[in-house]
Amino acid sequence: VQLQASGGGLVQPGGSLRLSCAASGFTLDNNAIGWFRQAPGKEREGVSCVSKSDGSAYYADSVKGRFTISRDNAKNTVYLQMHSLKPEDAAVYYCATGDGDGSGWYLCHNDVMEYWGKGTLVTVSS
């Protein structure tokens, strides 16, 4: 079981990035999925999570309207499209998945995801 996150990099404020998280060893399509981030000196934050039961997505207030989580079951990959990036979005972004149930909010605010990728660094700077 492996999650490989990619797509991070340096982007100017206002720019866009799309993060990808490819899964191997299992299929994502029936799992809860999520993206988390951790900036230096800060706690890990749930950015966006999708419930496996109803597919509803939760977004942190700080990213609502700018970020979109999605999955491509054929490619066994989860994405995080990020627009209008701000310096405060800079962090290491991690994808995660698990079999746990619960709302997107619950998944993002509790340590219930079973599998984690290694993270990809997003830097937002001019």
Side-chain angles (χ1 to χ4, degrees):
V1 174
Q2 194 171 23
L3 293 173
Q4 182 65 52
S6 61
L10 172 64
V11 63
Q12 292 186 342
S16 299
L17 280 176
R18 188 178 77 158
L19 306 183
S20 300
C21 178
S24 58
F26 65 101
T27 56
L28 282 171
D29 53 348
N30 292 323
N31 277 22
I33 57 174
W35 285 95
F36 298 76
R37 68 186 181 187
Q38 188 165 21
K42 294 188 176 181
E43 292 188 357
R44 188 179 69 196
E45 173 190 20
V47 175
S48 180
C49 296
V50 178
S51 167
K52 76 167 190 175
S53 58
D54 62 9
S56 60
Y58 160 84
Y59 293 93
D61 287 343
S62 58
V63 307
K64 204 172 292 182
R66 300 187 297 121
F67 291 12
T68 303
I69 189 171
S70 63
R71 74 173 108 197
D72 185 332
N73 290 337
K75 294 183 178 180
N76 211 25
T77 299
V78 178
Y79 302 98
L80 185 69
Q81 179 68 56
M82 307 186 294
H83 294 298
S84 303
L85 283 160
K86 305 175 181 180
E88 52 263 41
D89 294 318
V92 177
Y93 283 72
Y94 301 89
C95 58
T97 188
D99 192 42
D101 212 341
S103 67
W105 184 95
Y106 177 82
L107 295 167
C108 265
H109 287 84
N110 293 275
D111 190 14
V112 296
M113 296 294 198
E114 297 163 276
Y115 305 108
W116 292 79
K118 286 189 176 181
T120 185
L121 178 64
V122 172
T123 304
V124 185
S125 175
S126 54

